[in-house]
Amino acid sequence: MPLRADEWEEFSPGFGDNSHRGHFGEQFIRMLAVAANIDAAQRDRVGVDWQLGHPRRSGRRRYPVIEAQVKCTSSPELHDDHIAFDLKTRYYNELAGSDYDIPRFLFVVLAPADPFSWSDATPERLLLRNAAHWACLHDQNPVAGGTGTRRVHVPRGNLLTADTLHDLFSPSFRAMVGVS
């Protein structure tokens, strides 16, 4: 007989904690990349969780890549036009500025507070809740010191989907962030 949710939760260390939520957020991004047919390599180095590569982007570059820091929250501060997110200064500094050869992004995954509602599966579909948004901090300056947090405004219009993930590889976007 299968275990009930309250039974397996008891034997699942860390269920619903920050680490578990972080893993959910990273895999949420991986699922979007898979749906978009974009290569995803997990990194976890120098402010980068994922390096994403576009296998067949048209234009001058045959295999453009982007990098992303992924954060997941169940208690977002939502505003009409943005999500206010407090990012540790050390991560902010790894994303801010335009002196990178590879465009870098912050992906913020919004997950329900109840980890039992993060996903739902039926024979017809797999549903992951809720959504991911992206921000690029190339026009921001790194800040002195590596302690504390820096408030970042992630535009709510920057919903991350399989389609918009493709857009982050476009030559016009690469030019905007100063990468040819």
Side-chain angles (χ1 to χ4, degrees):
M1 176 181 230
L3 293 174
R4 293 185 328 267
D6 62 336
E7 292 175 323
W8 60 258
E9 176 187 17
E10 179 182 342
F11 300 106
S12 181
F15 182 78
D17 69 8
N18 282 340
S19 179
H20 183 208
R21 186 176 300 103
H23 287 290
F24 174 78
E26 290 177 11
Q27 297 312 311
F28 191 103
I29 298 303
R30 183 181 189 99
M31 290 302 299
L32 283 175
V34 168
N37 195 30
I38 290 174
D39 296 335
Q42 201 158 15
R43 299 283 303 197
D44 201 18
R45 291 182 55 159
V46 293
V48 172
D49 291 317
W50 288 101
Q51 187 173 68
L52 305 168
H54 198 294
R56 301 248 191 281
R57 183 75 197 181
S58 61
R60 291 186 305 208
R61 290 204 177 257
R62 290 188 179 188
Y63 190 81
V65 295
I66 62 173
E67 295 177 328
Q69 171 66 227
V70 179
K71 297 297 178 190
C72 185
T73 180
S74 293
S75 55
E77 186 180 314
L78 301 175
H79 298 269
D80 288 340
D81 63 342
H82 71 276
I83 301 156
F85 186 79
D86 292 329
L87 186 63
K88 287 184 180 177
T89 301
R90 104 174 195 207
Y91 295 124
Y92 176 86
N93 285 340
E94 291 291 345
L95 297 170
S98 60
D99 58 343
Y100 292 104
D101 290 331
I102 299 172
R104 288 187 165 193
F105 297 90
L106 171 64
F107 292 167
V108 176
V109 177
L110 307 180
D114 177 8
F116 285 109
S117 64
W118 289 353
S119 68
D120 185 38
T122 70
E124 292 81 32
R125 57 140 174 78
L126 170 64
L127 174 67
L128 300 177
R129 290 184 187 91
N130 282 343
H133 295 79
W134 63 270
C136 184
L137 305 178
H138 74 282
D139 60 346
Q140 303 293 311
N141 292 319
V143 296
T147 61
T149 61
R150 179 81 176 189
R151 176 142 297 190
V152 176
H153 291 179
V154 180
R156 290 186 72 177
N158 289 359
L159 181 65
L160 195 60
T161 66
D163 287 337
T164 60
L165 191 53
H166 279 272
D167 293 342
L168 299 181
F169 291 91
S170 71
S172 60
F173 192 84
R174 294 177 67 78
M176 182 186 79
V177 299
V179 176
S180 57

